[in-house]
Amino acid sequence: MLTPSYITNFDTRQLPRHECEYVIIGSGIAGLYTAYAASQSGSRVILLTKQAADNSNTDKAQGGIAAAISTSDSPELHLEDTLLAGAGLCDREAVRILVSEGPDRVRDLIGMGAHFDYKDGELALTREGAHSRRRILHASGDATGAEIQRALTDRVRRDKNIQILEDHLAVDLLVKENVCHGVLALDRRSNDLKVFWGKAVILATGGLGQLYEYSTNPEVATGDGIAIAYRAGAEVMDMEFIQFHPTVLSLSGAPRFLISEAVRGEGAYLRNRYGDRFMTRYHALAELAPRDIVVRAILTEMGITASERVFLDLSHLTPDLISERFPTIMKTCAAYGLDITRDPIPVAPAAHYMMGGVKTNLNGETSIHGLYACGETACLGVHGANRLASNSLLDGLVFGWRIVQWVKKYGVDYCPGRCYFNCDRLLSQPSEVNYQSIRKEIQVLMGQYAGPVRTSQGLIKALEKLESYGYIARYEVSGPEEIEVRNMLEVGHLVAEAALVRTESRGGHYRMDAPQPVERWLKHVIIRR
Ligand code: SIN
């Protein structure tokens, strides 16, 4: 039986209604930059974000933003590296657009006041895994995301065409005859439902890292955009491809804090508990091998050495380099008693980035008219089966921009507000469901069975367990925690289903029972209700 399209009872005629040309959901780089681009073209924008505007994955990004701007680099080299990392599943045209339009978008960010680091009068560029050139711009050493978030949030807050509504959580999309007219949202402060009609509704809600117990993502990353699009009937693609980051602080009592790949880019070594520098045994690029390879090598070493962690050793780098390039990591580790110029950093892998998402074309259009997606929420094949490090911030800029250019030229006026939507008393009043414990159970389950190493048996177990929560679909949700858990269940299913279907290993999807890539599987898994 299909679960209902809506998760709460409502009637749009009885709710406060707002209307705008663009309704954008999400306030990371993709949402903010798209709002800015729309406003530049004279349009009015409402931007909904479920907590504070700066509570996003973007804000946490450390390594940087990749762009072929150096004279020793070129978009062609960036394209080749991206295709190689994507393990055969990248859409070549999408990548061509990313690498060729990317430098202009980055210059735009600089023009808006984002301060990147400079060396000898030139933008300082670092390297990360699987990049053949130094092409990663960074800010305040390892606080690139925070600087981009600051610059964009400041800019958007000052813009008269843009209204940012914080504490507004999208509940469901309002779609009729495959046209999206708007979004139903919950104002968390008043607990009221509100309707936002828009000619273009843009999903930029980020990823789903919170599906896993160990994640680099903030609490807000619960896959909301993907879940609501799927419930509304949109196609989702590549949901099996989740990137785990190899090096996240693993210290009891400390949060799972990201230790940027740029640390390895600047020369740090990975060692097991016996001090053995093991990556040279696994890949010619050693510590800078593609992330999935480093993750599996770490898990193997953790198994062999019966340890819950491995160690990142920076002791051969100069203290000056470390403090200049990684001030945030240094400070955070120091708070837990680690002097990273001397002490090895205990690390383990954690969920980091979703390559899949709401299927879009090169202009951000989804399979529903009037509904667009960009950033981590979207999937247009630009990252293939495995994203190249530091391509994600760039993706948010380039494809957010393209949505606005498209809507300006071809956006259709669907007369939002002329129709009404309801879900009248179809759902029962909430009963005693312990959403907090379900959230925790989902996270453990996904880590155990749909993490970096999967088997068909494990995935079936995961699906059976997720299915056992099916009963809650009968109840209407009445608060943000419940909405997030419902969304996590939705996207958890999609990840496990797609991972079960793909009987091979490729990029971020590794099946122990089918460990090789298979030619026949050079295709995408697309799911629709
Ligand atoms: C990092 O700093 O290691 C993360 C960069 C990325 O995921 O692109």
Side-chain angles (χ1 to χ4, degrees):
M1 193 189 78
L2 275 183
T3 51
S5 306
Y6 300 116
I7 57 173
T8 194
N9 295 321
F10 68 96
D11 184 328
T12 55
R13 290 166 300 188
Q14 286 158 20
L15 296 174
R17 297 180 291 277
H18 307 262
E19 193 169 327
C20 214
E21 284 165 273
Y22 289 82
V23 177
I24 299 178
I25 310 168
S27 61
I29 190 168
L32 291 171
Y33 188 74
T34 308
Y36 156 79
S39 159
Q40 290 291 97
S41 68
S43 298
R44 283 193 318 112
V45 179
I46 290 178
L47 187 145
L48 308 174
T49 187
K50 70 177 177 179
Q51 290 192 11
D54 58 3
N55 188 351
S56 73
N57 244 336
T58 296
D59 191 60
K60 301 237 168 322
Q62 294 180 3
I65 183 162
I69 55 165
S70 142
T71 48
S72 65
D73 198 0
S74 68
E76 290 70 34
L77 288 171
H78 191 183
L79 176 128
E80 289 310 324
D81 291 348
T82 303
L83 293 180
L84 208 63
L89 275 194
C90 288
D91 178 312
R92 196 180 179 95
E93 182 55 12
V95 180
R96 192 197 61 72
I97 290 169
L98 178 83
V99 299
S100 55
E101 296 186 10
D104 277 349
R105 299 286 75 77
V106 170
R107 282 181 204 110
D108 209 12
L109 260 191
I110 295 172
M112 285 162 78
H115 301 298
F116 291 102
D117 295 334
Y118 280 78
K119 194 169 181 201
D120 305 327
E122 304 276 342
L123 279 163
L125 301 171
T126 191
R127 217 185 134 188
E128 287 178 358
H131 283 273
S132 60
R133 291 287 185 281
R134 282 187 167 259
R135 65 166 70 97
I136 294 143
L137 288 82
H138 45 87
S140 305
D142 55 1
T144 315
E147 173 55 15
I148 292 175
Q149 184 83 38
R150 180 205 63 73
L152 279 171
T153 313
D154 281 1
R155 174 67 186 75
V156 164
R157 279 199 200 282
R158 279 188 279 112
D159 197 312
K160 286 200 296 292
N161 285 337
I162 304 173
Q163 186 182 10
I164 302 187
L165 294 177
E166 296 179 307
D167 288 314
H168 279 67
L169 170 58
V171 179
D172 269 312
L173 295 168
L174 301 169
V175 175
K176 213 169 248 180
E177 289 162 12
N178 206 39
V179 174
C180 182
H181 295 266
V183 59
L184 180 72
L186 177 77
D187 178 340
R188 296 166 60 122
R189 294 179 196 169
S190 62
N191 218 36
D192 290 332
L193 286 173
K194 296 178 181 172
V195 178
F196 295 90
W197 303 120
K199 289 180 196 163
V201 175
I202 302 177
L203 300 170
T205 59
L208 47 65
Q210 281 298 315
L211 213 47
Y212 293 87
E213 189 177 8
Y214 300 123
S215 169
T216 61
N217 293 191
E219 293 274 309
V220 291
T222 50
D224 302 338
I226 301 172
I228 63 177
Y230 175 72
R231 273 201 296 275
E235 291 178 346
V236 299
M237 182 165 98
D238 288 352
M239 291 296 291
E240 65 275 37
F241 294 114
I242 292 181
Q243 186 172 77
F244 288 78
H245 197 287
T247 57
V248 175
L249 185 64
S250 166
L251 198 61
S252 51
R256 295 271 154 167
F257 178 76
L258 177 68
I259 308 294
S260 176
E261 186 154 317
V263 175
R264 281 172 284 133
E266 295 292 349
Y269 298 144
L270 276 165
R271 299 188 187 279
N272 65 21
R273 71 188 286 196
Y274 300 117
D276 175 24
R277 188 184 163 204
F278 57 87
M279 272 316 299
T280 49
R281 286 190 271 112
Y282 288 87
H283 197 276
L285 290 172
E287 280 81 1
L288 291 183
R291 283 187 184 167
D292 59 304
I293 291 171
V294 183
V295 164
R296 284 197 298 280
I298 290 175
L299 294 176
T300 306
E301 292 295 314
M302 281 163 53
I304 295 171
T305 61
S307 171
E308 284 178 22
R309 48 193 63 92
V310 294
F311 298 87
L312 201 51
D313 176 11
L314 290 73
S315 59
H316 53 290
L317 306 180
T318 65
D320 282 352
L321 172 86
I322 296 172
S323 60
E324 187 192 317
R325 284 290 288 111
F326 307 114
T328 316
I329 294 173
M330 196 165 178
K331 197 166 142 212
T332 306
C333 289
Y336 295 96
L338 292 173
D339 173 356
I340 67 169
T341 63
R342 216 183 44 206
D343 305 324
I345 311 175
V347 291
H352 183 56
Y353 187 84
M354 177 63 179
M355 269 74 72
V358 183
K359 182 176 182 298
T360 72
N361 63 14
L362 300 175
N363 300 308
E365 291 182 288
T366 70
S367 58
I368 297 177
H369 298 296
L371 179 68
Y372 303 81
C374 54
E376 196 173 347
T377 313
C379 178
L380 70 157
V382 73
H383 306 302
N386 203 7
R387 176 179 60 90
L388 185 67
S390 288
N391 267 358
S392 50
L393 294 171
L394 194 67
D395 164 8
L397 295 178
V398 168
F399 293 100
W401 172 264
R402 287 179 68 89
I403 291 177
V404 174
Q405 308 318 309
W406 175 265
V407 172
K408 252 177 17 190
K409 273 204 209 136
Y410 307 110
V412 182
D413 188 349
Y414 293 118
C415 308
R418 295 225 186 119
C419 47
Y420 78 90
F421 292 78
N422 70 351
C423 171
D424 238 355
R425 292 186 294 275
L426 288 176
L427 301 158
S428 332
Q429 286 300 303
S431 79
E432 290 301 299
V433 179
N434 187 340
Y435 282 94
Q436 238 179 11
S437 78
I438 296 180
R439 182 180 178 121
K440 190 87 208 136
E441 283 161 28
I442 297 171
Q443 290 173 331
V444 173
L445 178 77
M446 293 300 290
Q448 201 171 359
Y449 298 122
V453 177
R454 303 156 175 183
T455 62
S456 82
Q457 270 182 336
L459 290 163
I460 289 168
K461 271 195 198 142
L463 283 168
E464 282 170 0
K465 183 72 186 155
L466 290 168
E467 213 52 66
S468 73
Y469 300 118
Y471 69 96
I472 67 172
R474 291 199 299 271
Y475 303 117
E476 72 165 345
V477 295
S478 61
E481 270 181 12
E482 303 175 15
I483 295 169
E484 287 187 344
V485 169
R486 290 288 289 275
N487 291 341
M488 286 169 68
L489 280 173
E490 207 79 84
V491 290
H493 260 105
L494 293 168
V495 170
E497 280 162 359
L500 184 61
V501 167
R502 184 174 285 277
T503 48
E504 64 150 3
S505 293
R506 183 182 299 279
H509 168 69
Y510 183 80
R511 284 271 299 259
M512 216 155 78
D513 51 349
Q516 297 303 324
V518 175
E519 182 83 15
R520 186 171 58 82
W521 268 111
L522 278 172
K523 55 189 171 190
H524 299 278
V525 175
I526 298 172
I527 309 180
R528 194 179 64 190
R529 271 167 65 95

